Amino acid sequence: MTVPPAPPSSPASAPPAPDPAPAPAVGSYGSLGLGGPQQPLSGLAVASLVLSLLFCLAPLGLILGIVALVRIPGNGKRGKGLAVAGTAVGGAVVALATLLLVVGGARFDAWTEEGGSLLRPRETKAGTLFDLKAGDCFAPAGGLFSTQEGEDLRMTDPSVEIVPCDGPHPAQVYGTFELKGDHAISDPATIVAQAYEGCAPLFHDFAPDTWTLPVVEFSFYYPESVSATGGDRTVRCWLGAETGLPEASLRQDPGAWDAGQLAYLKAMRPSAEAWFSVPEQVDTDLAAATAWAERMAEGGAESAKLLRAIDGLPARARGPVTALANRLDALSGIHRSASRAPSLAEFGERWDYNGDEDESGEEWEARLALGLPVEDEEGDGEEQQP
């Protein structure tokens, strides 16, 4: 701003006075034009925003943002906006992560009707019966069991879907083995006999304590001819249920039992394996029936021997375990007599011992004394934990 010239003393006399020096600019404007020293930027505010944008470090970004907002008013540093942004972003990320954990964010498959994930489908694989391996859970295209009588051993459609065992699945392979003998493939009766005997020990490797299994069916797939399977002689032993198995593998961990319980289960294995090897034609084939009776006799006698040899049983379990061993010995004699029957009628008579045909009562008492689960005595299928 400048000062205007002074008016002349008279229009015709003295020359005009020179202009005075310009006045200095008004100070209020000068402070904006010249500027002053700026305060430094808050490092905490910058770090807060950067770390909040990194998902795994968002909690640290949230903390640094809060610290920056507390300190900035006192130290006069710049960056309040950055601290606010870092706090907001970090808080949002932490809240989202917490929500996913609480709801079960890792299990997106629970949000879809078929059990598939919102981000990825369940890991299933199409294949055939010949692709199945021990431990595989699967769903056969034609169903587990034939609806037509007499066709349960023949699978017209070998297609299967191999599915994760931690989701719904109708069946699981518990073991496989190779058929023996050159004649096996061309002789269905020999195959079936081998399958019943071969699957039993594999089943008890898979689930030593059969009492705790759900209600399931036990079966196997076998090749009908070498040429049709490219030389495959593998029998695949499986268990399943039409309504589906639990959403977990049925394989049992031996580490779940104490030393006494594990010794008991191992001792009972010969008898249990013999029982599970019962042939399908036991009521119509004398040779098959007597062979099974012989296995029952040998298995029962061996289990009785092993039960008596267990060391370190709790005092409360010694009596029930000894009673079970005595019962198995008595049954072994009956089974051995049935194994020598000359006819099916005679076999039935020797096998029928007044309806008292097994050791379930003594086994119930022994399991209860050892602390193993037992079924309710009322017969309602409920398990009791000692």
Side-chain angles (χ1 to χ4, degrees), residues 73-163:
N75 57 30
K77 292 184 178 180
R78 295 180 297 119
K80 181 177 180 180
L82 296 177
V84 170
T87 302
V89 173
V93 173
V94 170
L96 178 61
T98 302
L99 178 63
L100 291 178
L101 290 176
V102 172
V103 175
R107 290 207 59 182
F108 289 112
D109 56 339
W111 299 354
T112 62
E113 182 178 356
E114 298 297 330
S117 167
L118 289 177
L119 300 181
R120 60 175 178 80
R122 286 186 59 205
E123 297 176 359
T124 62
K125 182 175 68 174
T128 69
L129 296 174
F130 310 110
D131 298 320
L132 295 175
K133 303 183 295 297
D136 282 348
C137 295
F138 68 97
L144 287 179
F145 311 105
S146 173
T147 57
Q148 298 183 19
E149 185 176 356
E151 294 188 2
D152 54 324
L153 294 180
R154 181 183 295 274
M155 299 296 295
T156 56
D157 186 353
S159 302
V160 299
E161 183 180 23
I162 302 174
V163 300

Side-chain angles (χ1 to χ4, degrees), residues 125-328:
K125 182 175 68 174
T128 69
L129 296 174
F130 310 110
D131 298 320
L132 295 175
K133 303 183 295 297
D136 282 348
C137 295
F138 68 97
L144 287 179
F145 311 105
S146 173
T147 57
Q148 298 183 19
E149 185 176 356
E151 294 188 2
D152 54 324
L153 294 180
R154 181 183 295 274
M155 299 296 295
T156 56
D157 186 353
S159 302
V160 299
E161 183 180 23
I162 302 174
V163 300
C165 292
D166 59 357
H169 58 281
Q172 183 172 12
V173 178
Y174 61 81
T176 65
F177 70 95
E178 297 293 314
L179 290 169
K180 302 175 182 177
D182 295 337
H183 64 287
I185 296 297
S186 60
D187 184 359
T190 302
I191 296 176
V192 171
Q194 285 193 38
Y196 276 110
E197 293 183 42
C199 287
L202 297 175
F203 174 63
H204 286 84
D205 286 338
F206 182 83
D209 190 5
T210 58
W211 275 56
T212 60
L213 290 175
V215 178
V216 293
E217 297 283 347
F218 303 91
S219 192
F220 47 84
Y221 296 130
Y222 63 86
E224 289 188 315
S225 69
V226 175
S227 59
T229 61
D232 185 6
R233 290 174 171 269
T234 305
V235 175
R236 293 161 175 86
C237 313
W238 57 269
L239 48 81
E242 289 287 9
T243 55
L245 298 180
E247 294 188 16
S249 171
L250 294 182
R251 186 189 300 276
Q252 295 175 350
D253 178 14
W257 303 297
D258 62 34
Q261 293 170 337
L262 190 58
Y264 168 83
L265 293 173
K266 288 181 177 179
M268 289 299 295
R269 178 167 175 161
S271 175
E273 284 186 8
W275 176 258
F276 275 92
S277 71
V278 55
E280 193 173 54
Q281 64 274 31
V282 66
D283 294 327
T284 58
D285 187 330
L286 177 62
T290 54
W292 177 54
E294 182 65 24
R295 293 195 298 273
M296 288 289 294
E298 293 177 357
E302 180 65 16
S303 286
K305 176 182 176 182
L306 293 174
L307 285 172
R308 294 190 177 97
I310 298 177
D311 291 328
L313 284 176
R316 66 179 182 278
R318 293 171 191 161
V321 170
T322 299
L324 175 57
N326 294 339
R327 178 62 177 155
L328 287 171

